[in-house]
Amino acid sequence: MFFKTPEEGFELWDRQKDGTEPLLSSMCFVFEQPTHRTFDYVLVAHKEDDDTHQKAQRQRAFIEQLEKKSITVTRIVHDDKVFFGLRAPSEMFEDYQYLLKVSDSCNWCGDVSRAVTQATRIRIVHFILHQTFINTGENLKELLMKDVFETIFCLHERKKQQQLKREWARWSGLFTGQPVNDIKCYFGEKVALYYLWLGWYTKLLVPAAALGVVVFLYGLAFFNTNPLIKEVCNSSIIMCPRCDNRCKVWQLSDTCGYAKVSHLFDNDGTVAFAMFMAIWATLFLELWKRHRARHVSQWNVHDWCEDEEELILEIVNNPNCTPKQFRHSYLRSTLVLILVTLMLMLIIGLAHLLVVFRVVAAALLSEGSWEFIRDHANTVAMMLGAVLHYVTIQIMTRVNRWISLKLCDMEKTNSFAATERSFTVKMFTFQFFTLFSSLFYVAFFLGRINGHPGNYVRIARWRLEECHPSGCLTDLFIQMAVIMLLKQILNNIFEFTVPWLKSCLSRNTAKKLERKCGQCYRKACHDVQGSVEPCDICKLRDWLRNYHLANTDAFGLFNEFLEMALQFSFTTIFVAAFPLAPLLALINNIFEIRLDAIKMVRLERRLVPRKTNDIGVWTKVLEAIGVLAVIANGLVIGVTSDFIPRLVYHYHYGPCANGSSHTHCMQGYINDTLSTAFLSHFAVRKDFVDTQMRTDIGFNVTQCSYRDYRSDEDYTLTSQFWLVLAVRFAFVILFEHVVVVCKFVAAWFVPNSPMQVKNDRLHDKLARLKEEIRELKRRRSTDV
C-alpha cells in the first residue's frame, strides 16, 4: 500500500469535502437495514491517568465537540486503552436525505424516503469527524499525528461480512462471478466499480491471451525449420569481440539457442498481434463504459454530482458553513510544473545509471573466471539490470509517493476529489517513467548508439553494449519478463502476507483481551434482529475484533488501481516484444481479484464506503495508455524488430528479388546484415589487442564481423542502411495512422451507454416529474 501510516492517509483527508454514500438503492435487497445497536465509528486512545495532561485535555475537548453535534459517545476502558463508540443522531441523516432530495443532480440517486444504510452512516460520520476542530484549531488528523488518539475505524457488520466471505472472499471461488451489488451495498460504489472494472478487464484479457499464445506457437512451429535460425546455427562467421581486453572473437553459431528464442517473439505474427492489441485496448475501454453505465444506472448514481455532494456534506456538518472557493495561481502552477519536470529528469537519470551498470557489469562478467557467465556476459548483465531495475522501482515508489503528496499540498485544491485526481496523475506519471525509462532505452537505443570497430562509443573506458546479430527484441523481452514476473509475483506475495501475518500475530492477543472482557450470558445480546442494545462486554469484544485487523487508509483502492494501470501498460505498450504478456496478466488477475477480496473482507478494517459513478481519472489514464501503445508498438515493430530489414531483403536484396526460385527468399539474410572489420585498418587495430583476435583453438584472425550496414573499405553507412531506415519510418507512419483510424472507428461504432440504459433513465425521470406534479396538485387541493 502507498499510504502505510495514518499520517499519510489523513494528509489528504485534511482537504476532504466529498464524502457521502448514497441512500440505499433498490439493489441492496440482500442486506437488512441497520438498527440502533450499531455504532458508526470507534475512536481509540491511550488511557491517561492524569486528567490534567495535554493529551487527556485534547481528547476531552474533541469528544465535547462531537457531543455538541449531538453525536452519542459510549466510553469503555479496557487495560491501557480507551474506546469511544460513536453513534450519530437520526436528525443528521434526515437533513442529509432532505438536501439530497432538493439538490439539482443528486435527487435521482436513490429513494430518499428509505432508511439510511450503515454504509451511508459511516460515510457521513467519517466526513464529520475529519471536519471537527477543537479550540486550538487542531482537527482529527493532527490529533492522530500527535498521538492524542491512537486510531479510528468503522466496524465490520458480522452477518454481512460472513455472507461476503461465503460468496466472494474465498480461494475456491476463483472462477465464479462477483456479487457486485452486495459489494456496493457493503463497501460503497467506489470499491464495487473497482472490482467491476477488474472483472471486466480480466474477462476481455481472455481473447488477447489466446491470440498471444497462438503467435507464440506460430514461432514455435517453425523453430527448427526457419532458414534464419539454420543460417545462424550452421554459420562459420567469426564475430568481433564483445568487450575490450579479455573478450575474444567468437563463432556466430555459438548463439544458436539465442537465435531460436529471438524467433519466438520476433516473427511476422507479432505485427498482426500488435495491431490487434491496439484496437483491443480501444474496444476494451468503450465496452467498459457501456458495462459501467448499466450498473451505475441500476444503482441510481448515473447523475451523481461531486460539487453538490460536497455542499450537502458541508451543510450537514455545519449549517453556517461557507464554500471553499476555487483558486488558481499561475505562479504556483508554474512551480509545480518545474518540479514535476525536475523529478522526471531525475527518474530518466536513474535509467541512465542502469545503462551504465549494465555496461560495466557486462565488461566485468566477461572477464570473470566462470566460463558460462563469461560466455553469456551480456545476457547475465541484462538480467541483473532487470533485477536492479525492479529494486529501483520499489525504492522510487516511496519517493514518488512523498513527492506527489507534497506537490498536491502546493496546489491547494479545494476538495478531496480534486486532490485525488491530481495525486493520481502525478503518481502514475512518476511510476510510468520509473518503470518504462529503462525499457524505452532497450527498445529504441540499445545497439544503435554503440558505434563500430574503430569508432566505438564508450562510457569512461567501457564500450556500450550491442544487440545480438539475431536482433534486439529478445533483450527487450528479457527485461519485460523479469520486471513483470517479479513485480506481479512479489507484489502479490507481500500484499497478502503482510496483513495475513499481522492478523496471525494479533489473533492471540485479541483472544486474550477478549477473554479478559468476560462472558456475556444475556440472550438479548445474541438477538440476531439487533433490537436490543448489547452490553459493554459484547460491544468491547466486537471493537477489539476490528481493532486488531490491519489498518486501511484514505486511498485504500489507489494502489490497486495503480497496479492494474501499470499492468495494462505492460500488456499493451510493448506487447510486440512479449506476446505472452496478456496471458501473464490474465493469470495474475484471476488470483488478484480473490486476493484483494480476502484481504479486504477478512484481514483489513472496513474501508470507508465512498460514492462515485465512475473510476474517475483512471479512464483518462487508460485512454492515454491506449494511444501510447499505438506509437510504441509501431516503433517496436518498425525500429526494434527485424521485420523491416527482413522485408527489404526479401523484396530487394534476397534471392527472390533476383529471380531465383531454387532457394528460400531469406537465404543469406544474416550474412547480409553483417559488416566486416579488417585488422589492417589502423583504427580497428587500436580497438583490439592481438590476444582478442585469436580463436579458442589458437588460430589468428585478420577480420571479424559485426552487426551493421557499413562499407568494408571506409566504414561509412551503405545505401541499404538508408533504404531500410526510410522503410522503417514509412512503416511506423503507416502503422500508426491505420491503427489510429481503426481505433476511432471502433470508438464511434460502440456507444458509451446502451440504448436500454438511456431509455430506462428517460422513463424514470419522466415518472419522477409526474409524481412531483401529482404531489403539487394534492397540496393545492388540500389548501383549498
Side-chain angles (χ1 to χ4, degrees):
M1 303 298 285
F2 287 110
F3 300 93
K4 297 294 185 183
T5 63
E7 291 80 3
E8 289 177 332
F10 287 109
E11 183 170 349
L12 291 170
W13 275 111
D14 185 36
R15 297 179 292 277
Q16 200 252 7
K17 299 288 182 185
D18 169 34
T20 61
E21 160 81 21
L23 297 176
L24 183 66
S25 72
S26 59
M27 291 309 301
C28 298
F29 59 88
V30 178
F31 298 152
E32 297 84 2
Q33 300 295 335
T35 62
H36 68 275
R37 67 176 283 177
T38 305
F39 285 87
D40 303 319
Y41 242 95
V42 176
L43 284 171
V44 184
H46 295 289
K47 182 181 178 183
E48 298 291 343
D49 296 326
D50 185 5
D51 290 341
T52 62
H53 193 276
Q54 278 193 348
K55 286 186 179 180
Q57 292 177 349
R58 285 187 170 122
Q59 286 177 16
R60 203 159 48 245
F62 189 79
I63 297 300
E64 288 173 358
Q65 291 296 323
L66 295 179
E67 289 174 340
K68 288 180 180 178
K69 297 180 178 181
S70 301
I71 294 178
T72 304
V73 181
T74 301
R75 185 176 185 271
I76 300 178
V77 179
H78 181 69
D79 285 354
D80 60 338
K81 309 285 184 186
V82 182
F83 292 82
F84 300 94
L86 309 179
R87 183 182 292 145
S90 59
E91 293 80 5
M92 185 178 292
F93 306 112
E94 290 171 2
D95 294 343
Y96 170 75
Q97 287 179 304
Y98 177 77
L99 291 172
L100 279 181
K101 184 176 181 179
V102 299
S103 65
D104 292 335
S105 298
C106 297
N107 54 17
W108 196 67
C109 64
D111 183 3
V112 295
S113 64
R114 298 189 62 165
V116 180
T117 66
Q118 182 61 23
T120 305
R121 296 175 64 97
I122 290 171
R123 183 66 177 167
I124 297 174
V125 172
H126 179 84
F127 178 85
I128 291 173
L129 285 175
H130 287 85
Q131 297 301 319
T132 300
F133 297 82
I134 61 176
N135 51 10
T136 60
E138 296 168 305
N139 59 7
L140 183 58
K141 169 210 162 185
E142 294 168 316
L143 296 177
L144 284 164
M145 292 177 64
K146 295 177 181 178
D147 204 29
V148 175
F149 292 102
E150 179 189 341
T151 186
I152 64 168
F153 55 88
C154 50
L155 299 172
H156 279 289
E157 299 167 76
R158 293 297 301 280
K159 188 176 180 180
K160 302 174 186 179
Q161 185 185 26
Q162 292 300 323
Q163 182 174 342
L164 287 175
K165 286 181 181 179
R166 291 192 303 270
E167 297 180 359
W168 182 46
R170 54 188 176 87
W171 288 116
S172 58
L174 280 177
F175 300 100
T176 60
Q178 301 184 83
V180 180
N181 292 324
D182 293 349
I183 298 169
K184 171 256 175 185
C185 293
Y186 191 73
F187 287 111
E189 282 85 351
K190 189 176 183 67
V191 174
L193 281 172
Y194 164 71
Y195 285 105
L196 187 70
W197 175 84
L198 183 56
W200 186 251
Y201 171 44
T202 304
K203 185 182 295 184
L204 288 194
L205 276 174
V206 173
L211 189 58
V213 172
V214 170
V215 172
F216 177 79
L217 294 177
Y218 170 79
L220 194 63
F222 299 97
F223 201 71
N224 295 317
T225 59
N226 187 274
L228 304 183
I229 296 176
K230 289 183 176 181
E231 189 173 350
V232 172
C233 296
N234 300 328
S235 174
S236 59
I237 297 175
I238 296 177
M239 304 296 294
C240 294
R242 295 190 182 97
C243 64
D244 297 326
N245 300 326
R246 294 191 61 178
C247 292
K248 294 184 176 182
V249 291
W250 50 282
Q251 293 280 347
L252 179 60
S253 58
D254 294 342
T255 58
C256 178
Y258 195 100
K260 291 180 179 179
V261 174
S262 296
H263 180 69
L264 290 177
F265 303 100
D266 189 1
N267 55 67
D268 297 341
T270 57
V271 180
F273 186 58
M275 293 185 66
F276 167 81
M277 287 302 296
I279 299 171
W280 173 89
T282 299
L283 287 175
F284 159 69
L285 289 174
E286 295 302 319
L287 292 173
W288 154 247
K289 292 174 184 176
R290 292 172 59 85
H291 192 56
R292 177 202 66 86
R294 290 192 186 94
H295 283 81
V296 298
S297 179
Q298 198 176 32
W299 298 337
N300 290 335
V301 291
H302 197 284
D303 293 326
W304 175 76
C305 177
E306 174 185 328
D307 294 333
E308 288 190 24
E309 191 76 3
E310 291 179 358
L311 291 175
I312 289 172
L313 280 176
E314 287 284 1
I315 296 171
V316 169
N317 179 56
N318 179 14
N320 300 317
C321 67
T322 57
K324 191 171 182 180
Q325 301 293 322
F326 291 95
R327 293 179 296 177
H328 181 266
S329 169
Y330 287 102
L331 178 61
R332 190 182 298 119
S333 299
T334 303
L335 180 59
V336 170
L337 184 61
I338 292 173
L339 292 175
V340 168
T341 304
L342 291 175
M343 187 64 186
L344 295 179
M345 291 175 64
L346 173 63
I347 295 172
I348 294 173
L350 289 176
H352 283 84
L353 290 179
L354 288 173
V355 173
V356 174
F357 168 81
R358 286 170 44 180
V359 170
V360 175
L364 296 179
L365 290 172
S366 64
E367 298 175 0
S369 57
W370 291 359
E371 182 180 354
F372 177 81
I373 293 181
R374 187 170 64 246
D375 293 341
H376 302 84
N378 285 340
T379 303
V380 175
M382 173 75 69
M383 298 185 69
L384 287 176
V387 173
L388 181 61
H389 188 195
Y390 173 77
V391 175
T392 305
I393 291 169
Q394 299 306 308
I395 297 173
M396 287 303 298
T397 294
R398 288 155 179 78
V399 176
N400 294 340
R401 177 190 64 198
W402 185 83
I403 295 294
S404 299
L405 284 170
K406 294 304 177 185
L407 291 175
C408 289
D409 284 337
M410 292 176 59
E411 288 180 325
K412 299 187 183 301
T413 53
N414 76 313
S415 67
F416 172 71
T419 303
E420 185 180 26
R421 287 193 298 269
S422 176
F423 177 83
T424 298
V425 172
K426 292 178 179 60
M427 187 67 184
F428 175 80
T429 303
F430 293 154
Q431 286 295 96
F432 182 86
F433 273 79
T434 301
L435 263 71
F436 284 89
S437 293
S438 179
L439 293 176
F440 273 97
Y441 165 77
V442 174
F444 306 125
F445 297 98
L446 177 64
R448 291 168 179 80
I449 57 174
N450 59 301
H452 58 87
N455 188 26
Y456 281 120
V457 177
R458 300 175 183 271
I459 298 177
R461 63 184 181 87
W462 292 289
R463 278 168 43 187
L464 286 181
E465 52 195 335
E466 303 175 7
C467 285
H468 187 270
S470 298
C472 301
L473 209 62
T474 304
D475 296 322
L476 180 60
F477 153 71
I478 293 173
Q479 187 92 347
M480 283 188 64
V482 171
I483 294 174
M484 195 170 182
L485 287 172
L486 283 178
K487 183 173 174 55
Q488 291 190 162
I489 294 174
L490 295 183
N491 278 12
N492 284 342
I493 289 174
F494 283 113
E495 186 179 333
F496 181 77
T497 54
V498 170
W500 181 76
L501 288 174
K502 286 181 179 178
S503 176
C504 291
L505 292 173
S506 63
R507 194 173 298 158
N508 293 331
T509 306
K511 287 181 179 178
K512 290 178 183 178
L513 291 173
E514 288 175 11
R515 282 197 293 269
K516 290 182 181 180
C517 297
Q519 294 293 331
C520 173
Y521 299 99
R522 292 179 65 212
K523 291 184 179 180
C525 288
H526 303 285
D527 179 15
V528 293
Q529 299 299 324
S531 57
V532 179
E533 182 79 12
C535 64
D536 286 354
I537 292 176
C538 292
K539 292 176 187 173
L540 188 58
R541 289 170 69 88
D542 187 32
W543 296 353
L544 286 171
R545 192 180 297 113
N546 286 270
Y547 171 74
H548 287 288
L549 295 174
N551 192 23
T552 53
D553 51 62
F555 278 143
L557 281 181
F558 174 81
N559 303 318
E560 312 300 340
F561 267 122
L562 180 63
E563 181 184 350
M564 289 298 105
L566 292 173
Q567 184 205 84
F568 185 76
S569 303
F570 271 101
T571 306
T572 55
I573 289 180
F574 288 126
V575 73
F578 193 17
L580 295 180
L583 177 64
L584 295 180
L586 174 63
I587 295 172
N588 174 80
N589 290 359
I590 290 173
F591 289 94
E592 180 79 21
I593 292 174
R594 300 301 159 178
L595 186 150
D596 289 344
I598 291 171
K599 183 181 64 173
M600 193 175 293
V601 176
R602 298 172 180 264
L603 304 178
E604 291 182 342
R605 295 172 183 169
R606 185 174 182 175
L607 278 173
V608 177
R610 289 195 60 193
K611 178 183 178 182
T612 185
N613 63 352
D614 199 357
I615 60 175
V617 72
W618 290 112
T619 302
K620 301 295 184 184
V621 169
L622 296 174
E623 288 175 349
I625 293 171
V627 174
L628 185 59
V630 176
I631 300 172
N633 280 301
L635 290 172
V636 167
I637 297 170
V639 177
T640 309
S641 76
D642 275 3
F643 174 74
I644 297 301
R646 290 197 298 263
L647 200 66
V648 172
Y649 181 80
H650 183 282
Y651 291 104
H652 198 270
Y653 295 99
C656 294
N658 298 323
S660 175
S661 58
H662 302 290
T663 58
H664 195 281
C665 292
M666 297 305 295
Q667 190 72 34
Y669 168 75
I670 295 297
N671 189 51
D672 183 70
T673 61
L674 300 177
S675 300
T676 304
F678 295 93
L679 204 60
S680 57
H681 194 281
F682 171 75
V684 175
R685 190 166 58 249
K686 192 171 68 171
D687 273 337
F688 304 127
V689 297
D690 293 339
T691 54
Q692 289 184 277
M693 305 304 290
R694 187 177 299 119
T695 63
D696 292 335
I697 58 176
F699 289 108
N700 291 324
V701 297
T702 58
Q703 64 185 49
C704 60
S705 299
Y706 61 97
R707 181 183 171 87
D708 209 344
Y709 294 106
R710 291 188 178 272
S711 168
D712 295 340
E713 299 176 357
D714 55 3
Y715 300 100
T716 57
L717 294 170
T718 63
S719 60
Q720 186 175 355
F721 169 84
W722 297 110
L723 177 61
V724 169
L725 184 64
V727 177
R728 285 183 190 273
F729 285 135
F731 172 82
V732 170
I733 294 172
L734 181 64
F735 177 88
E736 291 177 358
H737 281 71
V738 169
V739 176
V740 166
V741 168
C742 292
K743 285 170 67 69
F744 279 124
V745 170
W748 166 81
F749 189 74
V750 182
N752 289 345
S753 292
M755 293 300 105
Q756 184 63 41
V757 170
K758 291 183 177 181
N759 290 329
D760 288 345
R761 292 183 63 243
L762 181 63
H763 289 301
D764 288 345
K765 287 183 178 180
L766 182 62
R768 183 165 52 84
L769 291 173
K770 287 181 177 179
E771 179 61 30
E772 289 290 336
I773 197 66
R774 282 196 294 267
E775 181 65 24
L776 177 62
K777 290 180 178 180
R778 279 195 297 268
R779 286 200 301 269
R780 286 176 180 173
S781 61
T782 304
D783 293 341
V784 173

